[in-house]
Amino acid sequence: MFAIDVAAHTGPWRLRHPGEKALLALGLLGCAVALPPWPGAALAGTAAALLLVGPARVPLPVLLRAARVPALFIATSALPLLVSVHSPTRLGWNPAGAEAAATTTGRAVAGLLCVLLFSATTPLSDVLPRLVRLGVPAAVTEVAALTYRMLFLLVDSVRAVREAQAARLGHRTWRTTYRSLTGQAGAIFVRAFTRARRLEEGLAVRGYTGSLAVQVEDRRVSPTFVVATVALLAAIVATTTVSGASWR
């Protein structure tokens, strides 16, 4: 299981209704996207970060590990904004690129923190069954659940094959490493295909008719949490509005 999934299953917000956490995370995400980057997106991202390491108690190493790949993508996406193409073979500094890069990066980082606030506190098993109640087709949620399950099987297969190759000195040189990677891809494909076929046969034997019956635990919505969420979002909007009026 991934570290962020462990945090979602063991955190103090595990027993909260997913709707509460969705209201908080999506509300902050809306502020980060719709409000000006300063101070709207900055406040939304800061609030999400403080909630993650504070009340939600998500370990900082887990948070940094989950955010490193998206953060790298954000950084590489902002770099082209700093240059301008004068000719097919000539690149130059874009004077207006720094502001555009900072704005884009700020919004993206704030949005990333808001998404992590929901994913690091809410297991997928709590979300998918409730989406059906909201009108999402059952086939969509079941495909998502099976894909989520297959991800863990795929990761286990990658780890097992890699350990077996390392035990046979498959990564001793660059040449053997490339050869091992090729064999690893083939072995993982065969394993994934075999497990998917076994999963399909298991569902058929159990009388699968197009929907999986899943028991959903009833949880009450906390009025205090909802009121605090609305107050936080209103404070961010009000602060951004007042700040924008003062700048004018």
Side-chain angles (χ1 to χ4, degrees):
M1 183 176 288
F2 301 120
I4 193 170
D5 293 283
V6 174
H9 280 86
T10 59
W13 284 8
R14 170 68 173 83
L15 299 180
R16 288 197 173 276
H17 195 285
E20 301 175 2
K21 294 175 281 188
L23 175 63
L24 175 60
L26 296 181
L28 290 174
L29 180 60
C31 291
V33 173
L35 296 178
W38 178 263
L43 290 175
T46 302
L50 293 177
L51 289 170
L52 277 167
V53 299
R57 278 186 260 173
V58 178
L60 185 59
V62 173
L63 183 60
L64 295 176
R65 185 175 181 180
R68 61 182 179 181
V69 174
L72 180 62
F73 176 78
I74 293 171
T76 54
S77 301
L79 287 178
L81 298 175
L82 300 176
V83 299
S84 59
V85 180
H86 300 289
S87 65
T89 59
R90 182 185 173 191
L91 298 178
W93 173 261
N94 184 10
E99 182 179 357
T103 299
T104 304
T105 302
R107 284 193 188 278
V109 171
L112 172 62
L113 291 171
C114 297
V115 172
L116 288 177
L117 177 61
F118 184 75
S119 59
T121 57
T122 311
L124 192 63
S125 57
D126 289 349
V127 178
L128 293 179
R130 290 176 170 84
L131 291 179
V132 178
R133 297 181 178 180
L134 297 177
V136 178
V140 176
T141 60
E142 289 172 10
V143 169
L146 293 176
T147 303
Y148 180 69
R149 171 58 180 163
M150 291 300 295
L151 283 176
F152 295 103
L153 298 178
L154 182 62
V155 171
D156 290 339
S157 298
V158 172
R159 185 179 295 112
V161 172
R162 185 172 182 82
E163 290 176 354
Q165 290 177 340
R168 293 173 174 84
L169 302 180
H171 303 284
R172 184 167 48 90
T173 62
W174 284 105
R175 184 175 181 180
T176 57
T177 299
Y178 286 129
R179 185 184 304 168
S180 297
L181 289 175
T182 304
Q184 181 180 5
I188 292 171
F189 175 79
V190 173
R191 283 194 174 202
F193 188 83
T194 302
R195 292 199 176 190
R197 177 62 61 84
R198 291 170 57 187
L199 181 60
E200 180 184 5
E201 293 175 352
L203 290 174
V205 170
R206 290 170 175 80
Y208 177 71
T209 59
S211 62
L212 296 173
V214 179
Q215 184 177 2
V216 181
E217 183 179 356
D218 292 332
R219 292 176 185 166
R220 296 181 179 180
V221 177
S222 172
T224 305
F225 191 92
V226 173
V227 171
T229 299
V230 174
L232 174 62
L233 299 177
I236 293 176
V237 174
T239 303
T240 305
T241 304
V242 173
S243 176
S246 63
W247 277 104
R248 296 193 190 107

